[in-house]
Amino acid sequence: MAAESKGMRGRQTVRDMVLSMLAVGFVVWIGYLFLPHDANSDPVHVVEYKAAAASAKRAAPYPLLSPEGLSDKWRATSVSYTPADLNSGKGNAWHLGFVTPSGQYAAVEQADVPRDKLLADKVAGGRPDGASDAAGHAWDRVQGEKGRALAAQTGSATTLITGTASYEELAELAQALK
């Protein structure tokens, strides 16, 4: 009798496990139906940067620059201002990143640190690559391993327009800085 009861209990355990797995599978399937999975959607998450720029301009000890008048094809994707006391020796740092009209990346990077220090941090393997004029400033071109930059001293800050975008798109962003 004990052996018969033990065999019955083994079948019930397997049956219970299969029923539990079916229940969990059904819940997962229902969840999958409600998750967005459109492969054709735009993965770029656009952020509003004008309020952050206004706040950062009040906090920064240098003339903080942000673009005005860029077309809607320039999509802001990241924005931050980090005061020096929270920035591990990288100065008061302003960052504003964009996806450009050609789908490349471009960013405004400003900090009150020496130019070479900011370039080393933002443009790996950077080396001089000529000069450009934009927004009434002479900008040094810097070509890096994976990106490039336009660099200028703006008051007490170093300003970089950097990214994977072409020098022409970087100059367009520089031209819009106010």
Side-chain angles (χ1 to χ4, degrees):
M1 187 82 145
E4 195 174 296
S5 171
K6 192 173 185 179
M8 180 73 143
R9 189 170 39 198
R11 284 192 300 270
Q12 287 176 335
T13 303
V14 170
R15 187 195 75 188
D16 290 345
M17 182 178 67
V18 169
L19 289 174
S20 295
M21 287 175 53
L22 287 172
V24 168
F26 179 74
V27 169
V28 168
W29 179 71
I30 293 294
Y32 174 78
L33 291 177
F34 290 101
L35 289 176
H37 41 274
D38 183 5
N40 297 325
S41 68
D42 187 0
V44 175
H45 175 71
V46 177
V47 298
E48 167 54 46
Y49 67 89
K50 292 182 180 176
S55 176
K57 283 182 180 190
R58 288 190 297 276
Y62 52 81
L64 189 130
L65 301 173
S66 67
E68 293 179 13
L70 287 174
S71 76
D72 291 342
K73 293 180 181 180
W74 286 80
R75 298 175 293 162
T77 58
S78 56
V79 61
S80 66
Y81 176 77
T82 309
D85 58 343
L86 300 176
N87 206 15
S88 306
K90 295 181 181 178
N92 296 287
W94 166 244
H95 163 83
L96 178 57
F98 289 91
V99 172
T100 69
S102 70
Q104 294 297 312
Y105 181 73
V108 177
E109 304 285 355
Q110 259 187 307
D112 51 358
V113 296
R115 177 184 180 274
D116 291 340
K117 184 175 181 178
L118 188 59
L119 273 169
D121 187 44
K122 302 297 180 185
V123 185
R127 60 190 181 285
D129 192 29
S132 292
D133 286 325
H137 289 96
W139 297 81
D140 296 324
R141 288 182 173 199
V142 178
Q143 180 62 53
E145 295 167 3
K146 296 182 181 180
R148 61 195 53 83
L150 299 176
Q153 195 67 36
T154 51
S156 61
T158 299
T159 301
L160 301 181
I161 310 301
T162 185
T164 58
S166 67
Y167 283 125
E168 291 75 24
E169 282 187 315
L170 297 179
E172 184 179 344
L173 179 54
Q175 191 67 38
L177 294 178
K178 306 284 184 238

